[in-house]
């Protein structure tokens, strides 16, 4: 197998450090998955630090090699935002994209510097805007209301905030319709027909520093063409902005690179994506005779998706006469809502007997009171018994961050593994945590 740094983490089905150990158990980051579950409980998110760091480095160094202007990679932390992950990506020189006051608070608490934090969102509240402006983050302005609120806040706070404009580029890509964002009929960003009036508004603003523009066309994208096209579309706005006396110097081309969830997924590598984006912007700038802008990208899923697996314990099973065999795990749609939301496909393996032949087709059901809570339909697995450890790979992105307490199930713990050591990064919720916000009015006591 190629050395770690030559494999693109987003193209792997398992974390880079995964292997089968002498006990025929799955090992990640030098830690036996079965032992991790014994120690930290089940179900458990297991995050491989090396995979996450390698993906950060491939993005960061890729732009250094292929883009000869300034570049900044920022982690789209909606994929998984918590203190430890913000701290890891920041230590690799990445900035952080946040979409709420809560994500911003977490990034700041993790020690991320405001000059590399970018606040997104299509309906930021005034208090979120104020929080970002007061702390010195860059705000990506999505609409007129926000633009006006930001202008008023700049006055009242006596600040000169850095802003960028989110523009809907009119570029479609092939992915689930819920995660397409670049087509014109999208709730995000300014429609192209409005952009010149925004530039005109900004040309009269003394406090708002509009440093550039942003677009994000969607997520889990396997084609390179949409990003190839995006450079020219976005750079054409730089010239138009200069007609309004605006000197744009930064371009944020969003994220969106896909990952492998199953063998049939075939995403480009991180380096191929970086090269495409870089060339597209360089070519567009040459064609327009413009200096290269600072190129910002904001990947989420491709940085962290395949770095994590979820380990579950197998419980009951059921065979429908002449029908399917179901095995049930001790988690489901509350820790991974993606199958029920997007019909996403996942792989699974039995972590305590990795080399046993997969000779039966089974369906893996979650434990929630909902028929649709099926994690994987019809997958080939070895025969399993209650108590076996089932591992589902590629759960690093949009699992913990979209997790719920449906059926009052506590959120899982997460451990960070590296070189044989595990560190808890998210504690398992307790029953007491579940009622922490409950209030029992006196009249009901
Ligand atoms: N930038 C912006 C403005 C975004 O809205 C997103 C994702 C990203 C960057 C990062 O995209 P990525 O590199 O992760 O594709 N919950 C869905 C995904 C929603 C994506 C939302 N925006 C899922 O589980 O597939």
């Amino acid at each position: 197998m190629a050395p770690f740094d030559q494999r693109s983490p987003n193209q792997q089905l398992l974390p880079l450090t995964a292997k089968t150990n002498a006990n025929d158990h799955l090992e990640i980051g030098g830690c036996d998955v079965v032992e991790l579950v014994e120690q930290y409980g089940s179900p458990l998110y297991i995050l491989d630090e090396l995979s996450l760091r390698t993906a950060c480095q491939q993005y960061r160094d890729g732009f250094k090699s292929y883009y000869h202007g300034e570049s900044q990679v920022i982690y789209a932390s909606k994929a998984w935002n918590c203190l430890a992950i913000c701290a890891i990506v920041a230590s690799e020189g990445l900035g952080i994209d946040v979409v709420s006051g809560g994500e911003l608070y977490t990034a700041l608490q993790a020690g991320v510097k405001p000059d590399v934090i970018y606040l997104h969102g299509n309906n930021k509240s005034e208090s979120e805007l104020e929080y970002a402006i007061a702390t010195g983050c860059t705000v990506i302005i999505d609409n007129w209301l926000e633009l006006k609120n930001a202008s008023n806040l700049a006055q009242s706070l006596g600040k000169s905030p850095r802003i960028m404009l989110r523009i809907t580029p009119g570029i479609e890509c092939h992915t689930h319709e819920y995660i397409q964002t670049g087509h014109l009929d999208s709730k995000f960003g300014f429609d192209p027909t409005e952009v010149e009036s925004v530039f005109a508004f900004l040309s009269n603003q003394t406090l708002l520093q509009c440093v550039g523009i942003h677009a994000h066309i969607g997520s889990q994208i396997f084609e390179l063409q949409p990003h190839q096209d995006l450079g020219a579309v976005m750079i054409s706005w730089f010239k138009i902005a200069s007609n309004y006396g605006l000197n744009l110097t930064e371009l944020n081309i969003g994220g969106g690179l896909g990952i492998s969830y199953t063998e049939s997924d075939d995403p480009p590598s991180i380096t191929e994506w970086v090269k495409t984006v870089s060339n597209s912007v360089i070519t567009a700038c040459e064609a327009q005779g413009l200096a290269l802008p600072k190129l910002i990208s904001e990947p989420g899923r491709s940085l962290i998706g395949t770095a994590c697996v979820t380990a579950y314990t197998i419980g009951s099973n059921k065979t429908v006469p002449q029908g399917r065999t179901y095995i049930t795990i001790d988690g489901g749609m509350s820790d991974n809502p993606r199958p029920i939301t997007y019909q996403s496909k996942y792989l699974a393996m039995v972590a305590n007997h990795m080399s046993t032949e997969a000779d039966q087709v089974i369906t893996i059901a979650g434990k929630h009171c909902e028929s649709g809570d099926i994690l994987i339909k019809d997958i080939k697995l070895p025969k399993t018994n209650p108590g076996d450890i089932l591992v589902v790979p590629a759960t690093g992105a949009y699992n913990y961050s979209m997790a719920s307490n449906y059926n009052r199930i506590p959120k899982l713990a997460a451990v960070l593994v590296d070189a044989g050591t595990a560190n808890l990064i998210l504690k398992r919720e307790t029953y007491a945590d579940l009622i922490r916000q409950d209030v029992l009015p006196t009249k009901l006591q």
Side-chain angles (χ1 to χ4, degrees):
M1 210 180 281
F4 294 139
D5 56 354
Q6 286 169 27
R7 287 186 281 148
S8 193
N10 71 314
Q11 295 179 317
Q12 315 300 316
L13 293 171
L14 278 166
L16 293 176
T17 61
K19 63 176 194 189
T20 301
N21 68 18
N23 296 329
D24 200 26
H25 291 180
L26 177 62
E27 185 179 296
I28 298 175
C31 298
D32 185 309
V33 166
V34 179
E35 287 171 17
L36 287 174
V37 171
E38 274 162 18
Q39 190 178 351
Y40 294 96
S42 175
L44 182 67
Y45 296 114
I46 301 168
L47 176 63
D48 181 35
E49 187 169 345
L50 189 117
S51 296
L52 175 57
R53 288 192 183 275
T54 303
C56 292
Q57 290 154 14
Q58 289 180 1
Y59 269 107
R60 185 196 64 204
D61 299 345
F63 279 110
K64 293 220 169 80
S65 308
Y66 294 109
Y67 191 71
H68 33 272
E70 214 187 320
S71 59
Q72 174 71 58
V73 181
I74 60 179
Y75 167 53
S77 70
K78 68 208 79 178
W80 189 353
N81 179 294
C82 67
L83 292 176
I85 292 172
C86 288
I88 292 173
V89 300
S91 74
E92 292 295 341
L94 273 64
I96 308 263
D97 142 9
V98 296
V99 282
S100 66
E103 286 188 355
L104 172 53
Y105 175 77
T106 311
L108 290 170
Q109 291 296 309
V112 182
K113 299 279 172 284
D115 60 345
V116 286
I117 302 181
Y118 292 72
L119 177 67
H120 274 282
N122 65 316
N123 190 23
K124 304 170 189 75
S125 67
E126 271 195 65
S127 67
E128 286 173 323
L129 273 177
E130 181 173 348
Y131 189 14
I133 293 173
T135 49
C137 304
T138 304
V139 179
I140 318 275
I141 300 285
D142 194 271
N143 53 60
W144 278 107
L145 177 66
E146 244 172 58
L147 189 56
K148 290 180 179 156
N149 285 341
S151 163
N152 294 337
L153 279 164
Q155 298 265 354
S156 59
L157 297 170
K159 293 262 182 187
S160 188
R162 278 170 42 92
I163 64 161
M164 299 184 82
L165 302 177
R166 179 164 184 169
I167 300 178
T168 318
I171 290 182
E172 305 215 357
C173 55
H174 295 112
T175 187
H176 193 287
E177 69 169 307
Y178 290 4
I179 52 178
Q180 277 188 354
T181 50
H183 54 306
L184 291 176
D185 183 7
S186 159
K187 69 170 185 171
F188 294 105
F190 288 99
D191 187 83
T193 54
E194 288 185 291
V195 175
E196 288 204 50
S197 28
V198 177
F199 287 160
F201 174 89
L202 285 168
S203 64
N204 291 317
Q205 290 288 312
T206 45
L207 291 179
L208 296 181
Q209 299 176 59
C210 181
V211 295
I213 52 176
H214 164 276
H216 169 73
I217 56 178
S219 197
Q220 185 60 358
I221 304 172
F222 286 0
E223 310 151 279
L224 288 169
Q225 193 62 45
H227 280 98
Q228 174 74 50
D229 299 341
L230 187 59
V233 171
M234 297 304 283
I235 289 299
S236 65
W237 289 112
F238 277 62
K239 233 199 177 134
I240 298 170
S242 66
N243 299 336
Y244 292 86
L246 299 175
N247 179 26
L248 304 186
T249 53
E250 300 186 21
L251 170 61
N252 182 332
I253 37 79
L257 173 61
I259 66 168
S260 293
Y261 287 97
T262 68
E263 291 95 342
S264 56
D265 291 331
D266 188 19
S269 68
I270 291 174
T271 307
E272 285 171 291
W273 189 88
V274 166
K275 201 171 159 183
T276 302
V277 163
S278 301
N279 287 342
S280 143
V281 175
I282 293 169
T283 310
C285 286
E286 279 169 6
Q288 301 262 353
L290 290 171
L292 289 181
K294 174 171 174 179
L295 182 53
I296 303 169
S297 56
E298 47 190 21
R301 190 190 313 266
S302 52
L303 279 174
I304 199 154
T306 57
C308 181
V309 305
T310 308
Y312 301 94
T313 303
I314 292 177
S316 60
N317 59 67
K318 170 179 178 177
T319 299
V320 178
Q322 282 95 48
R324 287 204 163 82
T325 295
Y326 291 89
I327 61 170
T328 310
I329 47 159
D330 53 353
M333 61 184 281
S334 61
D335 60 77
N336 184 357
R338 300 194 68 262
I340 200 165
T341 314
Y342 315 110
Q343 300 75 50
S344 312
K345 305 271 182 285
Y346 282 87
L347 277 183
M349 58 205 63
V350 182
N352 52 316
H353 46 96
M354 288 292 286
S355 47
T356 311
E357 197 198 336
D359 56 359
Q360 54 166 1
V361 175
I362 54 112
T363 288
I364 300 169
K367 65 175 278 163
H368 297 84
C369 293
E370 179 127 348
S371 294
D373 180 26
I374 299 292
L375 204 57
I376 307 176
K377 213 173 187 176
D378 298 334
I379 181 172
K380 269 193 120 178
L381 275 188
K383 183 168 163 16
T384 59
N385 292 304
D388 282 341
I389 304 300
L390 186 96
V391 158
V392 174
T395 57
Y398 308 109
N399 273 226
Y400 181 83
S401 61
M402 300 207 318
S404 75
N405 288 120
Y406 183 42
N407 297 152
R408 283 239 142 161
I409 295 194
K411 290 205 183 112
L412 317 188
V415 288
L416 179 72
V417 291
D418 182 45
T421 304
N423 282 291
L424 190 64
I425 58 167
L426 285 159
K427 290 187 208 161
R428 187 176 303 281
E429 281 182 342
T430 62
Y431 290 154
D433 290 330
L434 292 175
I435 60 163
R436 200 178 44 213
Q437 305 299 90
D438 287 22
V439 178
L440 195 59
T442 321
K443 68 175 187 175
L444 298 178
Q445 290 171 13

